[in-house]
Amino acid sequence: MDDVAVMFNDLIGEMDHLCQSIMPADQTPEEDLQKGSTFSIGFTDVNAESLNELEDNDLDALVADLGSKVSQQELSACDQNRGPTRAAPPDEKSEPATVLPPPPTTPGSSAGIEKCEPQTKANKIKLALDKLKEAKVRKMIVRVLMADGSSKILMVDERQTVRDVMDKLFEKTHCDCSIDWSLCETNPELQIERSFEDHEYLVEPLSVWSRYSENKICFMLRPQKYIMFTDPQLFYMWKKKESSLSGINQQAKELLRKENFEGCTVIVPDLDGMLYQKEDGKKVWKPRHFVLRASGLYYVPKGKTKSCSDLACFIRFENVNVYVAHKYRQKYRAPTNFCFILKHPCIQKESHYTKFLCCDEKHSLCLWVNSIRIAKYGAVLYKSYQAALKTASSRQPSHISAATSQVEPSPPAITNVEDYPYEAPPDFIPPPPPPPPPPHHHHGPPDV
């Protein structure tokens, strides 16, 4: 035992000697500790109380450092978009910047400086907190594809919603600012697509994309984006015949919007019907009767009824998005072309957590996809629709709106002869006018 204790003490001594040899000679552990304790507030611990404990010179240094960090983050984001940059060798030493003498101060200029620079400690703390928030904001450089094949480059931070980004695109493209414009996410690997919701923060879904992802963001028209508000009868009166739904006027549509979206809670469409479900890991599709509820999508097990006690939960809507699938009939032997997918936004590849469903017709696909959006987002979706209407009306030029309000719209042009209106002939047809008298010619001299 004594030999083991002696060996252990020798090992401890060698480790201490090794640590001292690694540390620079002109810096002792005590000096290193004192040097590090001069400014030990981390970004996660900074608040108004901790900043109040700092001296004025330390607070000024913190504000200057945070200002430089914000600019460095913007430069690093631009560098990542261009590509990797060459790092300087470790033995290179940067030359100190030349310090210019301050300009001569005059009474007028000194008064302006006093107004611009924060003089009190409270103002300095507020400025430091604002710069700290700005330094912690994530920023991305995004390429948005247009319908004509061109693209636009935007700087987007995590505080900007999809509606904010679309407002930037409206200014850059000078389009008509219709409520049908949408930012769409396309996934070439899964052959799926979805429209970002206007209230989403764009940086969040983009941050889950991998570095070498082939996903794209497109700016295009999607007429079915807010169809649940422009034509609510399709979702809340879907069991009636199409002939009766086509005759509904705007007053009845407004009443449906108020009943289902402007109450205490949003009423989810009472939608149910047969859908084809793809089994996990197989290319087999089974028909099942599905029922839509506010909490999720349910199905009727074999031999059961549509009562609430017999329904089995298929998937809940808290952490999933609904995508429209393309070319799945050829790839997965789907029974129809109208497929949609329910998956978590972080899943970028095929997984057994992804749920594949298929409809019989395009109208059913529109009903299910948009009804799931109503069930998931509820009142937030309706507020986004109202904001889109406000943006479309406010960005319309005043001279165009005045001209359209004064001039009545002209009837549509008729291009087919059969479309011309039929007019009955008159009861009395007047006789043709008499022929004009023959001209009179004079052969002799004129009469005097």
Side-chain angles (χ1 to χ4, degrees):
M1 294 293 295
D2 295 337
D3 297 338
V4 174
V6 172
M7 294 174 61
F8 183 73
N9 292 331
D10 293 341
L11 180 61
I12 294 297
E14 291 179 0
M15 293 177 63
D16 292 339
H17 180 70
L18 181 61
C19 292
Q20 292 177 3
S21 63
I22 295 175
M23 191 174 302
D26 56 347
Q27 184 177 353
T28 61
E30 290 78 6
E31 292 176 355
D32 187 20
L33 182 61
Q34 292 177 0
K35 184 178 180 181
S37 62
T38 57
F39 185 74
S40 60
I41 300 177
F43 277 170
T44 58
D45 301 327
V46 172
N47 50 33
E49 296 179 359
S50 61
L51 290 175
N52 195 25
E53 298 176 358
L54 295 177
E55 299 293 336
D56 288 340
N57 55 350
D58 294 334
L59 192 58
D60 294 337
L62 175 61
V63 171
D65 184 53
L66 289 175
S68 64
K69 287 183 181 297
V70 173
S71 59
Q72 288 175 3
Q73 285 184 359
E74 294 179 355
L75 289 176
S76 62
C78 295
D79 292 339
Q80 290 178 2
N81 187 50
R82 298 193 200 103
T85 57
R86 186 180 66 87
D91 56 350
E92 283 188 9
K93 295 183 179 180
S94 58
E95 296 181 0
T98 58
V99 180
L100 298 177
T105 58
T106 59
S109 62
S110 62
I113 293 174
E114 290 179 358
K115 292 181 181 179
C116 297
E117 294 182 356
Q119 296 297 322
T120 63
K121 192 170 185 178
N123 292 338
K124 291 180 181 180
I125 292 175
K126 182 180 179 181
L127 181 61
L129 291 175
D130 293 340
K131 288 183 176 293
L132 180 62
K133 292 178 182 179
E134 183 69 23
K136 295 170 67 176
V137 171
R138 290 184 298 171
K139 296 181 175 64
M140 285 186 176
I141 296 178
V142 180
R143 181 186 296 273
V144 182
L145 301 180
M146 303 290 137
D148 58 354
S150 62
S151 62
K152 300 291 182 182
I153 304 297
L154 301 175
M155 172 74 79
V156 182
D157 63 50
E158 61 182 359
R159 299 167 298 183
Q160 293 177 322
T161 62
V162 173
R163 171 54 56 180
D164 297 332
V165 178
M166 290 177 61
D167 289 340
K168 286 185 178 181
L169 291 172
F170 289 152
E171 296 176 358
K172 288 179 175 290
T173 58
H174 306 286
C175 60
D176 56 356
C177 306
S178 169
I179 63 173
D180 297 334
W181 285 105
S182 177
L183 281 180
C184 299
E185 169 193 4
T186 61
N187 187 324
E189 184 172 354
L190 294 178
Q191 294 291 332
I192 58 177
E193 173 192 301
R194 84 171 179 105
S195 296
F196 290 115
E197 304 296 342
D198 286 357
H199 65 272
E200 285 187 86
Y201 294 96
L202 188 60
V203 172
E204 292 183 4
L206 299 186
S207 60
V208 301
W209 291 4
S210 62
R211 181 178 180 85
Y212 303 101
S213 174
E214 296 182 358
N215 293 8
K216 296 178 177 61
I217 302 177
C218 303
F219 183 58
M220 57 185 67
L221 287 170
R222 284 292 177 262
Q224 295 184 354
K225 180 179 181 180
Y226 289 127
I227 191 174
M228 69 286 294
F229 305 118
T230 57
D231 294 313
Q233 73 278 4
L234 300 178
F235 299 88
Y236 294 95
M237 302 172 62
W238 62 275
K239 294 182 180 180
K240 294 187 176 182
K241 297 181 179 180
E242 295 184 2
S243 57
S244 60
L245 296 180
S246 60
I248 293 181
N249 55 17
Q250 292 296 329
Q251 185 177 1
K253 293 180 181 180
E254 183 66 24
L255 182 60
L256 283 175
R257 282 193 291 267
K258 289 183 178 180
E259 290 179 351
N260 296 285
F261 295 101
E262 297 184 5
C264 298
T265 58
V266 174
I267 300 177
V268 179
D270 188 14
L271 186 61
D272 68 277
M274 193 272 295
L275 296 174
Y276 298 96
Q277 176 202 349
K278 179 180 174 295
E279 291 191 356
D280 297 338
K282 300 179 181 178
K283 295 184 179 180
V284 179
W285 297 76
K286 287 187 176 181
R288 276 183 172 176
H289 193 93
F290 284 86
V291 179
L292 180 66
R293 294 290 182 264
S295 58
L297 191 62
Y298 297 80
Y299 67 92
V300 180
K302 189 176 182 180
K304 300 291 184 177
T305 61
K306 291 192 296 183
S307 62
C308 297
S309 58
D310 294 336
L311 294 179
C313 181
F314 179 70
I315 195 170
R316 298 191 180 275
F317 298 142
E318 288 86 358
N319 298 319
V320 297
N321 293 328
V322 55
Y323 295 78
V324 177
H326 304 286
K327 300 181 181 178
Y328 266 92
R329 187 169 190 178
Q330 296 83 0
K331 186 175 182 180
Y332 293 102
R333 300 176 185 174
T336 66
N337 287 325
F338 311 108
C339 305
F340 65 96
I341 294 176
L342 298 170
K343 76 175 188 69
H344 194 278
C346 292
I347 299 176
Q348 297 295 314
K349 295 184 178 181
E350 188 176 352
S351 171
H352 65 278
Y353 295 105
T354 304
K355 304 299 181 182
F356 298 85
L357 296 171
C358 199
C359 306
D360 286 330
E361 56 183 359
K362 186 176 181 180
H363 178 66
S364 300
L365 179 65
C366 176
L367 283 179
W368 283 102
V369 169
N370 292 291
S371 297
I372 291 173
R373 292 174 59 206
I374 296 174
K376 181 178 180 180
Y377 300 110
V380 180
L381 194 65
Y382 186 56
K383 291 180 181 179
S384 299
Y385 166 70
Q386 292 176 324
L389 285 178
K390 186 177 180 180
T391 302
S393 60
S394 62
R395 288 181 176 272
Q396 185 178 7
S398 57
H399 63 279
I400 295 179
S401 59
T404 53
S405 60
Q406 295 177 2
V407 180
E408 296 183 357
S410 58
I414 300 176
T415 57
N416 193 354
V417 178
E418 298 177 355
D419 296 334
Y420 278 89
Y422 173 74
E423 296 182 2
D427 296 335
F428 171 74
I429 301 177
H440 181 71
H441 300 282
H442 297 277
H443 299 283
D447 298 332
V448 179

